[in-house]
Amino acid sequence: MLGTTLGQFRLIAILEGISFLVLLLIAMPLKYMAGVPEAVSVVGAMHGVLFVMYALWLAVVKFKYRWSFVKAGIVFIASFIPFGTFVLDRKLKQEATNA
């Protein structure tokens, strides 16, 4: 999986998706229901770093694999949708095996 640029992007996308879900489903409830704002600070920072990596690696993949701006835009939007990067991973895995 890590042998190709697309494989590396898939890993970053999965990690970004996990951090997004942890932020939404664990850290935010801890902050607002249990009064533990530190959870959002820590998880939010990790998610921010992973999101920046996702965006940068998306640019690398877009140019290396000659994706259209529409396709790259859809892939970018997937990072804003809970579970979006996991659905995306399935499609990217198909694309990697077809290539």
Side-chain angles (χ1 to χ4, degrees):
M1 181 174 185
L2 295 176
T4 65
T5 306
L6 188 59
Q8 294 164 358
F9 178 70
R10 286 180 53 216
L11 177 63
I12 293 169
I14 290 169
L15 293 175
E16 194 274 337
I18 291 169
S19 72
F20 186 42
L21 291 177
V22 169
L23 182 63
L24 289 177
L25 302 176
I26 297 172
M28 295 295 284
L30 280 173
K31 178 179 180 177
Y32 291 108
M33 291 194 246
V36 184
E38 297 82 12
V40 171
S41 298
V42 173
V43 176
M46 290 186 330
H47 173 67
V49 168
L50 287 167
F51 179 77
V52 170
M53 287 176 61
Y54 180 90
L56 291 174
W57 219 246
L58 172 59
V60 170
V61 169
K62 187 252 182 270
F63 289 109
K64 183 171 183 173
Y65 292 92
R66 299 176 190 229
W67 285 358
S68 69
F69 282 106
V70 172
K71 182 175 183 174
I74 291 169
V75 170
F76 185 72
I77 290 170
S79 69
F80 292 98
I81 302 168
F83 300 101
T85 56
F86 303 112
V87 173
L88 171 69
D89 181 61
R90 190 176 329 150
K91 296 193 183 291
L92 292 179
K93 186 176 180 181
Q94 279 181 329
E95 183 174 319
T97 58
N98 291 339

